[in-house]
Amino acid sequence: MENPEKLLDLLSQDARLTPAQLAAMTGASEEEVTDALRTFEKNSTILGYKTVIDWDKTAKESVTALIEVKITPQKGMGFDEIARQIYSHHQVESVYLMSGGFDLTVIIKDRSMREVARFVSEQLAPMENVLSTGTHFILKKYKDYGVEFDPSDNDKREVMIAW
Amino acid sequence: MVDYEQLLSDRVKEVKPSGIRKFFDVVATMPDAISLGVGEPDFETPWQIRRAGIQSLEKGQTFYTSNWGLAELRRQIAALTRRKYQLCYDADKEILVTVGGSEAIDNTIRALVNPGEEVLIPEPSFVCYTPLTQMAGGVPVPLPTRVEDQFKLTADALRAAITPRTKLLILPYPNNPTGAIMTRDELEAIAAVLRDTNIIVLSDEIYCSLTYGKDPHVCFAELPGMQERTIVVDGFSKSYAMTGWRLGWAMGPKELMRHICKVHQFGIMSAPTTAQFAGIEAIRSGEDDIERMRTQYDIRRRYLLGELRSMGLACFEPQGAFYMFPSITSTGLSCEEFCERLLKEQKVAVVPGSAFGASGEGHVRISYSYSMSHLREACFRMRKFLQSLS
Ligand SMILES: Cc1ncc(COP(=O)(O)O)c(C=O)c1O
């Protein structure tokens, strides 16, 4: 299909769109869409499909923390390997290599602040290559993955009599 | 006791209140109803345009402008028109900044139409042309368009409607509510009919930035010999998502604009100053925003068309504006019944086609100026409604 990356734009906004809907929206055939998606999945361009959830509206307790990590790379162990050791922990949601004042951003989600603290002090900080950590707890999410968390008054339009 | 009926002017009494007003008053009282009825962009005005308005206030630009509008804004409009259509208008004498396209339409009709003169109005179309003609004492003459012609005005229909009393032809494309557009060839056929008449054209091109085909919108004044007999109405509302700012313009031959400006001058003085400063910024920097919004509308348009057709509704593929105008005759309901029952049973509000002229019967207008998630929920409910009918 022409410009298959358009599918990525659409799916990044709504992963539930079906191949039939994507076909209607892009003008391609359903088969072309299915093929393009399969290719994106095979070559790991599309890595997964997730749901944006406001966990505060649920009974589930969780906290998210952003941790700044400074690292001393050692012989035979570059950033990639250190990052891998960190992201292998199931609590870790994201790991980014950064430019600037520190090296890695680690986002971790766990049941409670105590769990997070335990992870940092028992798993992360003791790692040989980790120089220092700075932990910031996230207090409230306003927007995540491009989605606003409080869409209550989004449509400000009044119904007009003359249309 | 005051007899209010007797106090009112005959012309105002002639204007029928919109029958669907009641219907939409009901919508407003239903918190769980979702609407596909609104005729304005869902996007907020792009930030740099809002900022320009705010900055003008901070600088104390709180005075009337020239009756014609800020000179810089008129220069920008002239430059935009040159870029888009290669058409030249004199920014001092041929461009009038108005309170929305609406005021431009009103002024033009009032400046041109004498009592008893006829105004040709293709229908279905936007609701203001008929009442404004009536209030000017003119005679509205509907020109029904048909889905078989993709809701375009045909040369034959136009020719058949012309009488010695015809003063003005309204050309409402891209069209609200059908989404129809007119190509250069189709406009040329209309121009050919007009060439040896003395008829003026009011070309309402408020949706000119929102077309979805390969070819860009053609301004009617681009056609040979038409600039001298056309008043082009355009505005900021739809292109730049600026409905609440109330800003538009009319452009045409200076011999007419001078008089159209008189109507504006005595009725309005000048368009809102803050909006005019924002309008300058819109034309300077809004091109990318137009494209961003147009891309979103196009995605929704394709989605909604696919959904409506898969529900079993026959739907003409709209090429402009942000409306869809499916036929609902397969349900056996009139368009008003359809809308009332859809609202009552599934709490979705759409507008009966008959609101846009008698030839709109059998259709409903669905706006896709809504987020994808809103459209998705509305389609889900509409599908349930249609299934319950069969
Ligand atoms: C076809 C058409 N013309 C003109 C207008 C008036 O727009 P405004 O007065 O906001 O410029 C509208 C608004 O819905 C419209 O649909």
Side-chain angles (χ1 to χ4, degrees):
Chain A
M1 69 178 284
E2 211 181 301
N3 190 11
E5 306 220 331
K6 207 165 167 187
L7 297 174
L8 301 178
D9 285 336
L10 292 169
L11 285 172
S12 70
Q13 288 162 38
D14 183 353
R16 284 199 315 162
L17 290 167
T18 64
Q21 287 167 334
L22 288 165
M25 291 162 88
T26 56
S29 74
E30 204 173 322
E31 201 184 337
E32 286 171 320
V33 169
T34 314
D35 286 348
L37 292 183
R38 196 174 312 119
T39 307
F40 282 135
E41 286 168 7
K42 264 209 218 117
N43 67 18
S44 299
T45 305
I46 292 181
L47 295 161
Y49 301 86
K50 298 197 56 161
T51 307
V52 184
I53 296 169
D54 184 354
W55 288 108
D56 289 350
K57 292 220 172 73
T58 70
K60 194 168 162 164
E61 288 290 325
S62 75
V63 294
T64 308
L66 183 151
I67 306 165
E68 298 171 0
V69 184
K70 281 190 189 156
I71 294 233
T72 40
Q74 288 176 352
K75 256 211 217 88
M77 207 193 243
F79 283 123
D80 292 354
E81 178 55 21
I82 298 163
R84 198 185 60 74
Q85 286 187 6
I86 295 175
Y87 68 65
S88 301
H89 293 279
H90 69 91
Q91 305 94 322
V92 174
E93 287 213 324
S94 314
V95 178
Y96 310 125
L97 181 63
M98 309 300 292
S99 68
F102 58 96
D103 302 303
L104 295 177
T105 292
V106 176
I107 294 178
I108 94 160
K109 196 168 129 200
D110 215 324
R111 283 196 306 275
S112 65
M113 276 165 90
R114 186 181 316 172
E115 298 292 331
V116 172
R118 177 149 49 197
F119 174 82
V120 174
S121 61
E122 292 179 12
Q123 307 288 342
L124 200 54
M127 281 176 66
E128 225 178 304
N129 321 69
V130 169
L131 265 181
S132 69
T133 62
T135 303
H136 310 274
F137 287 99
I138 287 164
L139 301 179
K140 178 174 174 176
K141 288 190 185 177
Y142 296 98
K143 189 173 181 181
D144 222 354
Y145 301 101
V147 181
E148 288 175 25
F149 273 47
D150 183 15
S152 52
D153 64 347
N154 261 357
D155 200 334
K156 305 189 185 78
R157 293 174 290 180
E158 302 199 342
V159 177
M160 290 278 291
I161 301 312
W163 19 71
Chain B
M1 268 248 303
V2 180
D3 181 355
Y4 291 108
E5 268 306 297
Q6 220 221 312
L7 289 174
L8 292 166
S9 83
D10 295 338
R11 286 181 185 177
V12 163
K13 277 195 282 190
E14 193 191 347
V15 174
K16 287 196 211 66
S18 163
I20 42 188
R21 183 187 176 130
K22 273 203 305 288
F23 175 69
F24 271 82
D25 284 347
V26 175
V27 179
T29 64
M30 292 170 67
D32 48 350
I34 62 178
S35 174
L36 294 178
V38 170
E40 61 180 319
D42 57 317
F43 301 101
E44 288 173 351
T45 305
W47 172 246
Q48 84 279 9
I49 300 175
R50 284 188 266 164
R51 193 182 51 206
I54 294 166
Q55 280 174 350
S56 77
L57 290 173
E58 284 174 349
K59 286 192 202 141
Q61 310 274 20
T62 57
F63 303 95
Y64 294 130
T65 69
S66 140
N67 294 127
W68 292 89
L70 286 170
E72 174 60 15
L73 178 57
R74 283 179 281 127
R75 274 197 291 276
Q76 291 285 345
I77 293 169
L80 177 73
T81 309
R82 221 176 307 120
R83 279 202 300 280
K84 277 170 70 173
Y85 311 129
Q86 287 78 52
L87 284 173
C88 284
Y89 284 91
D90 182 340
D92 292 329
K93 300 193 175 94
E94 298 188 315
I95 297 174
L96 173 67
V97 177
T98 56
V99 181
S102 302
E103 195 227 335
I105 296 166
D106 187 20
N107 292 348
T108 303
I109 293 174
R110 285 205 274 164
L112 292 174
V113 176
N114 287 305
E117 287 179 337
E118 292 169 355
V119 177
L120 306 182
I121 305 172
E123 285 184 353
S125 61
F126 183 49
V127 291
C128 79
Y129 313 118
T130 296
L132 292 178
T133 300
Q134 289 170 329
M135 287 192 276
V139 180
V141 179
L143 304 184
T145 60
R146 307 176 316 154
V147 66
E148 299 82 51
D149 301 321
Q150 303 176 303
F151 296 111
K152 295 166 193 277
L153 175 63
T154 63
D156 287 344
L158 172 59
R159 207 178 289 113
I162 292 175
T163 76
R165 289 178 306 281
T166 307
K167 172 54 80 61
L168 187 64
L169 166 67
I170 310 281
L171 212 48
Y173 296 95
N175 184 270
N176 169 11
T178 63
I181 60 161
M182 299 270 286
T183 64
R184 189 177 295 274
D185 289 348
E186 289 153 357
L187 290 174
E188 175 48 43
I190 299 300
V193 176
L194 296 173
R195 267 191 199 104
D196 18 297
T197 69
N198 209 18
I199 297 171
I200 294 284
V201 175
L202 191 173
S203 193
D204 180 352
E205 304 184 15
I206 197 102
Y207 291 101
C208 61
S209 302
L210 299 177
T211 62
Y212 307 105
K214 282 191 290 295
D215 301 323
H217 169 77
V218 178
C219 178
F220 191 67
E222 283 180 60
L223 290 137
M226 290 301 112
Q227 187 172 5
E228 65 192 42
R229 64 164 74 228
T230 303
I231 305 293
V232 179
V233 169
D234 199 343
F236 293 84
S237 289
K238 320 287 172 164
S239 303
Y240 301 99
M242 292 179 67
T243 45
W245 297 79
R246 309 309 304 126
L247 196 67
W249 68 86
M251 20 182 219
K254 57 180 178 301
E255 294 78 2
L256 297 179
M257 293 311 298
R258 207 170 58 229
H259 299 281
I260 292 173
C261 184
K262 264 193 318 207
V263 181
H264 169 78
Q265 173 182 353
F266 294 115
I268 297 286
M269 297 286 280
S270 59
T273 302
T274 313
Q276 293 193 53
F277 278 101
I280 293 171
E281 180 62 27
I283 299 184
R284 276 200 194 129
S285 70
E287 212 52 41
D288 291 350
D289 295 296
I290 291 180
E291 192 47 33
R292 171 177 56 84
M293 294 187 275
R294 201 188 62 86
T295 304
Q296 289 304 313
Y297 290 132
D298 191 24
I299 288 169
R300 301 165 182 182
R301 179 184 73 102
R302 290 162 182 268
Y303 168 79
L304 189 60
L305 185 67
E307 292 294 296
L308 292 176
R309 285 185 174 164
S310 81
M311 290 174 207
L313 294 179
C315 191
F316 154 73
E317 179 177 345
Q319 298 290 340
F322 38 60
Y323 309 103
M324 224 153 267
F325 206 58
S327 163
I328 48 90
T329 49
S330 61
T331 62
L333 302 174
S334 76
C335 62
E336 294 208 8
E337 283 165 351
F338 181 95
C339 293
E340 271 168 36
R341 285 191 52 186
L342 176 61
L343 180 61
K344 204 180 292 159
E345 292 169 28
Q346 288 296 334
K347 307 210 169 25
V348 178
V350 300
V351 184
S354 57
F356 306 96
S359 55
E361 180 51 71
H363 296 264
V364 297
R365 189 192 77 175
I366 300 181
S367 163
Y368 50 89
S369 179
Y370 290 93
S371 70
M372 276 301 300
S373 57
H374 188 101
L375 290 179
R376 192 195 259 286
E377 171 65 20
C379 285
F380 179 77
R381 295 189 191 188
M382 280 181 65
R383 191 181 292 276
K384 278 216 288 207
F385 173 68
L386 286 164
Q387 279 163 355
S388 76
L389 291 178
S390 56

